[in-house]
Amino acid sequence: MNKKQISLKLKELRRNNKLTIEEVKELLEERDINVATKTIYGWESGMRLPYPDIFLTLCDIYNVEDILITFGVRTDNHKIEIKMIAREDGLSSLDMSKEELKKFNKNTFLVTSDTNLM
């Protein structure tokens, strides 16, 4: 899935959840992520994409159950057993505080090809 398709999917997910850009901004702020509404518009227009940790938070806000299927990486319904959340900067759920972990629901995850994390 390319940048434009990801942006369109983010916009679709927001609309499907009946949220305005301002409401998404407020929900992100509740999770200690401060962005301007202009930034969210940029994510949805394909000008830029959110950082991976913000992307995961958006998926949590939008109630995405399977990121890989939702964003077209995988088309089957095979479920992956989640062992931890792994962030691009190398932090895993083992390194995160309880406050950081509360930002994610049990269905939000990032699958990584780094087998050392699993």
Side-chain angles (χ1 to χ4, degrees):
M1 187 173 258
N2 66 35
K3 187 176 177 180
K4 186 64 176 175
Q5 291 170 317
I6 292 170
S7 295
L8 291 173
K9 181 55 85 171
L10 287 172
K11 186 175 197 173
E12 175 188 333
L13 289 167
R14 177 180 58 79
R15 287 180 172 174
N16 288 347
N17 282 275
K18 298 179 178 23
L19 294 170
T20 65
I21 296 258
E22 187 60 40
E23 289 170 328
V24 171
K25 179 184 183 302
E26 291 171 11
L27 290 168
L28 287 169
E29 286 174 351
E30 289 175 11
R31 292 165 168 85
D32 298 321
I33 298 171
N34 295 307
V35 296
T37 54
K38 184 169 110 173
T39 302
I40 299 171
Y41 280 113
W43 296 337
E44 292 186 0
S45 69
M47 298 296 291
R48 67 188 68 193
L49 291 176
Y51 291 115
D53 55 334
I54 296 174
F55 176 78
L56 289 174
T57 303
L58 288 170
C59 288
D60 184 52
I61 289 169
Y62 299 152
N63 301 303
V64 173
E65 291 186 24
D66 192 319
I67 294 170
L68 296 177
I69 289 175
T70 301
F71 287 88
V73 175
R74 194 180 76 233
T75 57
D76 65 317
N77 288 323
H78 175 72
K79 291 287 184 182
I80 297 173
E81 181 181 344
I82 305 308
K83 298 186 180 192
M84 69 174 60
I85 298 168
R87 296 187 343 182
E88 186 176 307
D89 61 8
L91 290 176
S92 72
S93 60
L94 302 175
D95 302 317
M96 293 181 195
S97 68
K98 287 183 181 181
E99 290 76 32
E100 287 179 299
L101 285 172
K102 287 178 187 175
K103 295 177 187 177
F104 302 99
N105 73 28
K106 66 179 181 174
N107 295 320
T108 303
F109 59 93
L110 172 65
V111 175
T112 177
S113 60
D114 186 348
T115 55
N116 294 325
L117 292 176
M118 297 306 220

